[in-house]
Amino acid sequence: VRYPTGCESVSAVMLLRFLGVEITVDEFIGSFLERGDMEERDGVIYGPDPWKCFCGSPYDEDSFGCYAPVMCNALGKALKEPTGKAAGEEILKAICEGRYEVVDETGTPTETLLSDYIDKGLPVLYWACINMREPIVGPSWKLYETGEEFTWISNEHCMLLVGYDEEGYYFNDPFENHGLIRYPRALAEDRHAAQHGMAVGVKVWT
């Protein structure tokens, strides 16, 4: 697996490509993703704040991930000089002319994401759990900046929400090349809540 902890980056690139930006996952990680390494000091693990940067490396299976503000920042930088064709000339033209907004939708009900994005043909980055497994509390580390203890919620996963029906949500899921996959609404919403209800969308005015 080339990006064992790269679900956020792969999902972001899927969104960018849909919007018409020709970019690879490696380019996204190398040019736009803020990263910070973990470090052991006197038997104590120190690390960055996932609200501010990716904890570790998407290429490392022992790394963690990042939260919605990090992806907002990375997407904002990647959209500043878009090129290519994908979802259609109108969306790409709007992006090129700056008629878009990257929005941190953390805490926004999924039903609202459906009306604000999916119903308008725009996918959304959506945090939940790998294969909708139970969230696991831990591990923990001390934050570099403050020394306070941060606790990770394991099985963290980011996918691209692309559709829905009466009882389920459809995602483009980068885990193990799942591709398009459907999960029951209640289960997805529960796992979404376990990961702080995080989501990121790009609103486009055509």
Side-chain angles (χ1 to χ4, degrees):
V1 180
R2 183 155 174 74
Y3 315 103
T5 53
C7 58
E8 301 96 344
S9 295
V10 175
S11 295
V13 167
M14 287 193 286
L15 174 56
L16 287 166
R17 286 178 176 168
F18 174 85
L19 294 173
V21 181
E22 288 185 353
I23 188 172
T24 67
V25 177
D26 292 318
E27 288 169 342
F28 181 84
I29 293 170
S31 298
F32 305 118
L33 183 67
E34 295 286 340
R35 288 190 276 170
D37 293 327
M38 312 296 290
E39 181 181 323
E40 185 175 338
R41 301 176 185 170
D42 299 323
V44 178
I45 301 296
Y46 283 80
D49 186 341
W51 295 101
K52 297 180 179 178
C53 71
F54 189 97
C55 301
S57 166
Y59 300 103
D60 178 8
E61 65 181 12
D62 294 323
S63 289
F64 294 91
C66 63
Y67 289 165
V70 180
M71 299 314 294
C72 278
N73 183 43
L75 283 166
K77 289 188 289 186
L79 283 165
K80 283 183 179 172
E81 295 181 11
T83 59
K85 298 177 182 178
E89 291 298 330
E90 281 304 308
I91 287 180
L92 182 59
K93 187 169 183 283
I95 295 291
C96 290
E97 293 176 355
R99 289 183 280 119
Y100 69 90
E101 179 186 7
V102 182
V103 184
D104 185 342
E105 296 284 7
T106 298
T108 300
T110 303
E111 285 285 348
T112 304
L113 296 177
L114 300 182
S115 60
D116 287 357
Y117 295 92
I118 304 303
D119 289 347
K120 296 174 181 176
L122 295 167
V124 181
L125 293 185
Y126 192 92
W127 275 255
C129 294
I130 295 171
N131 283 341
M132 295 300 168
R133 298 172 188 158
E134 291 275 354
I136 299 171
V137 178
S140 299
W141 60 84
K142 289 189 180 293
L143 298 177
Y144 286 126
E145 292 183 4
T146 63
E148 65 181 300
E149 187 166 285
F150 172 83
T151 301
W152 181 255
I153 306 298
S154 291
N155 283 332
E156 176 261 359
H157 190 44
C158 182
M159 302 175 287
L160 199 64
L161 175 63
V162 296
Y164 65 96
D165 58 32
E166 286 189 9
E167 297 180 351
Y169 298 131
Y170 292 84
F171 299 92
N172 280 350
D173 185 354
F175 185 69
E176 294 184 340
N177 294 316
H178 278 336
L180 184 65
I181 193 167
R182 178 185 179 277
Y183 290 113
R185 284 191 177 214
L187 177 61
E189 289 179 13
D190 182 75
R191 300 301 188 252
H192 181 59
Q195 296 293 346
H196 311 289
M198 293 185 293
V200 172
V202 178
K203 292 185 175 178
V204 179
W205 295 279
T206 58

Short mmCIF file of all heavy atoms in Angstrom, two decimals, residues 106-133:
data_model
loop_
_atom_site.label_atom_id
_atom_site.label_comp_id
_atom_site.label_asym_id
_atom_site.label_seq_id
_atom_site.Cartn_x
_atom_site.Cartn_y
_atom_site.Cartn_z
N THR A 106 -17.04 20.83 10.14
CA THR A 106 -17.07 20.04 11.37
C THR A 106 -18.26 20.44 12.23
O THR A 106 -18.48 21.63 12.49
CB THR A 106 -15.76 20.25 12.15
OG1 THR A 106 -14.67 19.78 11.35
CG2 THR A 106 -15.78 19.47 13.47
N GLY A 107 -19.03 19.45 12.62
CA GLY A 107 -20.21 19.70 13.43
C GLY A 107 -21.48 19.91 12.63
O GLY A 107 -22.57 19.95 13.20
N THR A 108 -21.36 20.04 11.33
CA THR A 108 -22.54 20.21 10.47
C THR A 108 -23.27 18.88 10.33
O THR A 108 -22.63 17.87 10.01
CB THR A 108 -22.13 20.72 9.08
OG1 THR A 108 -21.47 21.98 9.21
CG2 THR A 108 -23.33 20.87 8.18
N PRO A 109 -24.57 18.82 10.56
CA PRO A 109 -25.30 17.56 10.40
C PRO A 109 -25.14 17.01 8.98
O PRO A 109 -25.09 17.78 8.00
CB PRO A 109 -26.76 17.96 10.66
CG PRO A 109 -26.67 19.19 11.50
CD PRO A 109 -25.45 19.92 11.02
N THR A 110 -25.07 15.69 8.87
CA THR A 110 -24.90 15.07 7.56
C THR A 110 -26.03 15.45 6.61
O THR A 110 -25.80 15.66 5.41
CB THR A 110 -24.79 13.54 7.70
OG1 THR A 110 -23.69 13.24 8.58
CG2 THR A 110 -24.53 12.88 6.36
N GLU A 111 -27.25 15.55 7.12
CA GLU A 111 -28.38 15.95 6.27
C GLU A 111 -28.12 17.30 5.61
O GLU A 111 -28.49 17.52 4.44
CB GLU A 111 -29.66 16.02 7.11
CG GLU A 111 -30.25 14.66 7.45
CD GLU A 111 -30.95 14.00 6.26
OE1 GLU A 111 -31.18 14.69 5.24
OE2 GLU A 111 -31.27 12.81 6.35
N THR A 112 -27.47 18.21 6.35
CA THR A 112 -27.15 19.53 5.79
C THR A 112 -26.08 19.42 4.72
O THR A 112 -26.12 20.12 3.70
CB THR A 112 -26.71 20.49 6.91
OG1 THR A 112 -27.73 20.56 7.91
CG2 THR A 112 -26.45 21.89 6.37
N LEU A 113 -25.11 18.53 4.94
CA LEU A 113 -24.08 18.30 3.92
C LEU A 113 -24.72 17.80 2.62
O LEU A 113 -24.29 18.17 1.53
CB LEU A 113 -23.05 17.29 4.41
CG LEU A 113 -22.22 17.68 5.64
CD1 LEU A 113 -21.30 16.53 6.03
CD2 LEU A 113 -21.41 18.95 5.38
N LEU A 114 -25.75 16.97 2.76
CA LEU A 114 -26.43 16.44 1.58
C LEU A 114 -27.06 17.57 0.77
O LEU A 114 -26.93 17.64 -0.45
CB LEU A 114 -27.50 15.43 1.98
CG LEU A 114 -27.04 14.18 2.74
CD1 LEU A 114 -28.24 13.27 3.00
CD2 LEU A 114 -25.95 13.43 2.00
N SER A 115 -27.75 18.48 1.46
CA SER A 115 -28.45 19.56 0.75
C SER A 115 -27.49 20.62 0.23
O SER A 115 -27.68 21.18 -0.85
CB SER A 115 -29.51 20.19 1.65
OG SER A 115 -28.93 20.73 2.83
N ASP A 116 -26.42 20.90 1.01
CA ASP A 116 -25.49 21.97 0.63
C ASP A 116 -24.48 21.54 -0.42
O ASP A 116 -23.94 22.39 -1.14
CB ASP A 116 -24.73 22.47 1.87
CG ASP A 116 -25.61 23.32 2.79
OD1 ASP A 116 -26.78 23.56 2.43
OD2 ASP A 116 -25.13 23.73 3.86
N TYR A 117 -24.19 20.25 -0.49
CA TYR A 117 -23.16 19.77 -1.41
C TYR A 117 -23.65 18.67 -2.35
O TYR A 117 -23.65 18.85 -3.57
CB TYR A 117 -21.94 19.25 -0.62
CG TYR A 117 -21.23 20.32 0.17
CD1 TYR A 117 -21.56 20.58 1.49
CD2 TYR A 117 -20.23 21.09 -0.42
CE1 TYR A 117 -20.92 21.57 2.21
CE2 TYR A 117 -19.57 22.08 0.29
CZ TYR A 117 -19.93 22.32 1.61
OH TYR A 117 -19.30 23.31 2.32
N ILE A 118 -24.05 17.54 -1.79
CA ILE A 118 -24.37 16.38 -2.63
C ILE A 118 -25.49 16.69 -3.62
O ILE A 118 -25.41 16.35 -4.80
CB ILE A 118 -24.74 15.15 -1.76
CG1 ILE A 118 -23.61 14.84 -0.76
CG2 ILE A 118 -25.04 13.95 -2.65
CD1 ILE A 118 -22.26 14.59 -1.39
N ASP A 119 -26.54 17.38 -3.15
CA ASP A 119 -27.65 17.72 -4.04
C ASP A 119 -27.23 18.71 -5.12
O ASP A 119 -27.94 18.87 -6.13
CB ASP A 119 -28.82 18.32 -3.24
CG ASP A 119 -29.53 17.26 -2.39
OD1 ASP A 119 -29.28 16.06 -2.62
OD2 ASP A 119 -30.33 17.65 -1.51
N LYS A 120 -26.09 19.37 -4.92
CA LYS A 120 -25.57 20.33 -5.92
C LYS A 120 -24.43 19.71 -6.74
O LYS A 120 -23.73 20.42 -7.47
CB LYS A 120 -25.10 21.59 -5.21
CG LYS A 120 -26.25 22.34 -4.53
CD LYS A 120 -25.76 23.53 -3.72
CE LYS A 120 -26.95 24.22 -3.05
NZ LYS A 120 -26.52 25.33 -2.16
N GLY A 121 -24.25 18.40 -6.57
CA GLY A 121 -23.25 17.70 -7.37
C GLY A 121 -21.84 17.84 -6.87
O GLY A 121 -20.89 17.61 -7.62
N LEU A 122 -21.66 18.20 -5.60
CA LEU A 122 -20.32 18.40 -5.04
C LEU A 122 -20.06 17.39 -3.92
O LEU A 122 -20.82 17.31 -2.96
CB LEU A 122 -20.19 19.82 -4.47
CG LEU A 122 -20.28 20.95 -5.49
CD1 LEU A 122 -20.45 22.28 -4.79
CD2 LEU A 122 -19.05 20.97 -6.39
N PRO A 123 -18.99 16.60 -4.01
CA PRO A 123 -18.66 15.65 -2.95
C PRO A 123 -18.06 16.35 -1.73
O PRO A 123 -17.68 17.52 -1.79
CB PRO A 123 -17.64 14.71 -3.62
CG PRO A 123 -17.04 15.53 -4.72
CD PRO A 123 -18.07 16.52 -5.16
N VAL A 124 -17.96 15.61 -0.63
CA VAL A 124 -17.51 16.17 0.64
C VAL A 124 -16.53 15.22 1.32
O VAL A 124 -16.77 14.01 1.38
CB VAL A 124 -18.71 16.38 1.60
CG1 VAL A 124 -18.26 17.00 2.93
CG2 VAL A 124 -19.78 17.25 0.96
N LEU A 125 -15.43 15.77 1.86
CA LEU A 125 -14.55 14.98 2.72
C LEU A 125 -15.29 14.69 4.02
O LEU A 125 -15.84 15.60 4.64
CB LEU A 125 -13.26 15.73 3.04
CG LEU A 125 -12.27 16.01 1.92
CD1 LEU A 125 -11.01 16.64 2.50
CD2 LEU A 125 -11.91 14.75 1.16
N TYR A 126 -15.27 13.43 4.45
CA TYR A 126 -16.11 12.99 5.57
C TYR A 126 -15.31 12.02 6.43
O TYR A 126 -14.86 10.98 5.96
CB TYR A 126 -17.35 12.30 5.00
CG TYR A 126 -18.49 12.01 5.95
CD1 TYR A 126 -19.52 12.91 6.12
CD2 TYR A 126 -18.57 10.79 6.62
CE1 TYR A 126 -20.61 12.63 6.95
CE2 TYR A 126 -19.63 10.50 7.46
CZ TYR A 126 -20.66 11.43 7.61
OH TYR A 126 -21.72 11.15 8.44
N TRP A 127 -15.12 12.40 7.69
CA TRP A 127 -14.36 11.54 8.61
C TRP A 127 -15.29 10.55 9.31
O TRP A 127 -16.37 10.91 9.77
CB TRP A 127 -13.65 12.38 9.67
CG TRP A 127 -12.32 12.93 9.28
CD1 TRP A 127 -11.10 12.49 9.70
CD2 TRP A 127 -12.05 14.05 8.42
NE1 TRP A 127 -10.09 13.25 9.15
CE2 TRP A 127 -10.65 14.23 8.36
CE3 TRP A 127 -12.86 14.93 7.69
CZ2 TRP A 127 -10.05 15.23 7.62
CZ3 TRP A 127 -12.27 15.93 6.95
CH2 TRP A 127 -10.88 16.07 6.91
N ALA A 128 -14.85 9.31 9.40
CA ALA A 128 -15.58 8.27 10.13
C ALA A 128 -14.54 7.27 10.63
O ALA A 128 -13.48 7.67 11.09
CB ALA A 128 -16.64 7.62 9.24
N CYS A 129 -14.84 5.98 10.55
CA CYS A 129 -13.91 4.95 11.01
C CYS A 129 -13.67 3.93 9.89
O CYS A 129 -14.56 3.68 9.08
CB CYS A 129 -14.44 4.23 12.25
SG CYS A 129 -14.56 5.28 13.72
N ILE A 130 -12.47 3.36 9.86
CA ILE A 130 -12.11 2.37 8.85
C ILE A 130 -13.12 1.23 8.85
O ILE A 130 -13.38 0.61 9.89
CB ILE A 130 -10.70 1.81 9.12
CG1 ILE A 130 -9.64 2.91 8.96
CG2 ILE A 130 -10.40 0.65 8.17
CD1 ILE A 130 -8.26 2.49 9.42
N ASN A 131 -13.72 0.97 7.69
CA ASN A 131 -14.72 -0.10 7.55
C ASN A 131 -15.85 0.04 8.57
O ASN A 131 -16.52 -0.94 8.91
CB ASN A 131 -14.07 -1.48 7.67
CG ASN A 131 -13.34 -1.88 6.40
OD1 ASN A 131 -13.58 -1.32 5.33
ND2 ASN A 131 -12.44 -2.84 6.51
N MET A 132 -16.05 1.26 9.09
CA MET A 132 -17.07 1.56 10.10
C MET A 132 -16.88 0.72 11.37
O MET A 132 -17.84 0.39 12.07
CB MET A 132 -18.48 1.39 9.53
CG MET A 132 -18.79 2.38 8.42
SD MET A 132 -18.68 4.11 8.96
CE MET A 132 -18.73 4.96 7.38
N ARG A 133 -15.61 0.41 11.67
CA ARG A 133 -15.31 -0.29 12.92
C ARG A 133 -15.61 0.61 14.11
O ARG A 133 -15.77 1.82 13.99
CB ARG A 133 -13.83 -0.68 12.96
CG ARG A 133 -13.38 -1.64 11.88
CD ARG A 133 -11.87 -1.77 11.93
NE ARG A 133 -11.35 -2.54 10.80
CZ ARG A 133 -10.09 -2.45 10.37
NH1 ARG A 133 -9.24 -1.64 10.97
NH2 ARG A 133 -9.70 -3.17 9.33
#
